[in-house]
Amino acid sequence: MDKNSHQTHDVGPVPHPDHDHHHDHSGHDHGFKGHAHGANERQIAIAAVLTGGFMIAEVVGGLVSGSLALLADAGHMLTDFAALALGWFAFRLSRKPGDADRTYGYDRFEILVAFVNGIALFVIAGFIVVEAIRRFMNPAEVMGGTMMAIAVGGLLVNIAVFFVLHSADRDNLNIRGAVLHVLGDLLGSVAAIIAAGVILWTGWTPIDPILSVLVSLIILVSAYRLVRDAGHVLLEGTPKTIAVKDLEPALVEAVEGLTSVHHVHLWSITPERPMATLHACIAEGADGTKITRAIKRELKSRFSIGHATVEIEFGRCADEGLQRPGAHSHHHADAGHRHTHHGSVHGEDALTKPA
């Protein structure tokens, strides 16, 4: 093989010597589906049914008693029901295999749902705060007894739903979004019980909107974290469990014949499904196929990356000299090369020579 030639080894656990790597992603089992996904789907369905059923009781109770805390919690439960139903649909949709238009499948839809759930929590919290201000300015009579009965029932339902979801995969952003919605409901029920107790004991109705605002602030903190994490995935951010600065030296140390690693890109379809592309510079005369297999094994075992594209290089980087004016470049000290995002094609196996 020419000293300055390059090989790109694409997706798959073991590349073949003939470098003909046409893979149909629709048939791949990526490991995060199956039993865990099925369990998540069942649990989120149960939670949706319980939440939707009691939401109706809270709406009626809030209207009858005049409690903002109950109506706020009912409104939150309405969005929870919608969020849980949408989350259930996301799990159902993610079962579909990849196709020619969506080679990675439909798993990213779960992240979109989580992101939307987070935005919805912001809207709900804002609505509650505005309504609370209106109640401060125009106090309304609240029936503490009815409010207390409905709030206690809501608390019991929310505790049941929380434990149903608590046993699901809490690292799944879709489940996290659902749990945060239900946790907000649970806190809302607690606030309604406290407010009802104060009203029954003292007759002081401002406690109702005060506690509603407090719950809203707690919801906002959780909503921010959910939107931040879902947005990180949607923006192709590096998985939080993997650091590029650790991956590069780890591969060089573990794989014999590998001299340097650069042009590393890490992202994920979902937090459970990390991806990687990288350039691997190997020693002259080394077996590129053997090293590619070793790199993929190390990525899988040490970093849980089951899908990687590895471009083997001898002497020179395939992207060298391909940088366009104004293109963003990376300088990696370990390789002494300057690289650009725009010069490399990672989607297919090829034997290329630099210009």
Side-chain angles (χ1 to χ4, degrees):
M1 179 176 292
D2 180 50
K3 179 178 179 179
N4 291 328
S5 62
H6 307 271
Q7 300 171 328
T8 301
H9 296 267
D10 202 2
V11 180
V14 180
H16 300 287
D18 61 3
H19 299 168
D20 183 13
H21 295 169
H22 178 69
H23 293 277
D24 180 4
H25 290 228
S26 63
H28 284 198
D29 177 7
H30 295 279
F32 59 92
K33 294 186 179 180
H35 176 72
H37 244 46
N40 288 340
E41 185 180 318
R42 287 190 300 273
Q43 287 158 327
I44 208 169
I46 294 171
V49 171
L50 291 173
T51 300
F54 195 79
M55 172 197 69
I56 298 173
E58 277 207 319
V59 170
V60 174
L63 292 174
V64 171
S65 67
S67 168
L68 173 61
L70 275 183
L71 288 175
D73 194 42
H76 192 196
M77 289 191 82
L78 173 62
T79 59
D80 284 354
F81 173 73
L84 291 167
L86 191 58
W88 174 82
F89 177 71
F91 281 125
R92 296 284 292 183
L93 185 63
S94 67
R95 290 181 179 184
K96 294 183 64 176
D99 53 38
D101 293 325
R102 300 170 187 83
T103 57
Y104 285 123
Y106 292 80
D107 299 287
R108 181 61 67 80
F109 188 70
E110 294 179 24
I111 309 303
L112 289 173
V113 168
F115 188 82
V116 170
N117 280 343
I119 296 298
L121 287 169
F122 274 97
V123 175
I124 294 165
F127 169 78
I128 294 174
V129 170
V130 170
E131 184 62 18
I133 293 173
R134 190 184 70 81
R135 283 291 181 98
F136 275 122
M137 297 176 63
N138 301 287
E141 182 181 357
V142 178
M143 299 171 60
T146 303
M147 179 181 175
M148 175 68 78
I150 298 296
V152 169
L155 178 63
L156 294 176
V157 170
N158 285 322
I159 289 175
V161 173
F162 181 78
F163 276 104
V164 167
L165 292 176
H166 190 71
S167 59
D169 181 8
R170 283 170 287 172
D171 290 329
N172 183 285
L173 281 179
N174 198 16
I175 291 293
R176 269 185 60 190
V179 168
L180 288 178
H181 272 275
V182 173
L183 185 59
D185 279 342
L186 196 153
L187 292 174
S189 295
V190 171
I193 290 172
I194 295 173
V198 171
I199 291 170
L200 287 172
W201 185 260
T202 67
W204 192 58
T205 57
I207 188 64
D208 185 36
I210 288 174
L211 291 180
S212 297
V213 171
L214 180 61
V215 170
S216 296
L217 294 177
I218 296 173
I219 292 172
L220 282 174
V221 173
S222 299
Y224 165 75
R225 291 172 180 167
L226 180 61
V227 170
R228 177 196 63 192
D229 292 346
H232 185 75
V233 175
L234 292 174
L235 291 174
E236 308 291 344
T238 300
K240 294 184 177 181
T241 57
I242 309 171
V244 175
K245 64 180 180 65
D246 296 331
L247 184 144
E248 295 175 357
L251 289 178
V252 173
E253 180 181 357
V255 179
E256 185 178 357
L258 179 63
T259 60
S260 69
V261 173
H262 55 272
H263 210 104
V264 177
H265 294 280
L266 302 173
W267 73 102
S268 59
I269 302 301
T270 68
E272 303 93 340
R273 192 179 171 188
M275 306 278 179
T277 63
L278 59 88
H279 290 194
C281 188
I282 67 176
E284 184 175 357
D287 187 333
T289 299
K290 181 179 179 181
I291 289 179
T292 300
R293 287 174 174 167
I295 290 173
K296 287 176 179 285
R297 281 195 299 268
E298 189 69 15
L299 289 173
K300 178 67 175 177
S301 63
R302 185 164 180 174
F303 298 98
S304 299
I305 300 174
H307 183 121
T309 298
V310 178
E311 181 173 317
I312 295 296
E313 299 174 342
F314 297 83
R316 290 179 60 191
C317 177
D319 291 346
E320 189 175 337
L322 297 180
Q323 182 175 349
R324 298 179 311 195
H328 179 66
S329 63
H330 297 284
H331 180 69
H332 297 276
D334 61 336
H337 298 288
R338 185 171 294 274
H339 309 286
T340 174
H341 281 288
H342 303 284
S344 179
V345 177
H346 294 286
E348 60 187 67
D349 295 315
L351 183 62
T352 62
K353 292 184 178 181

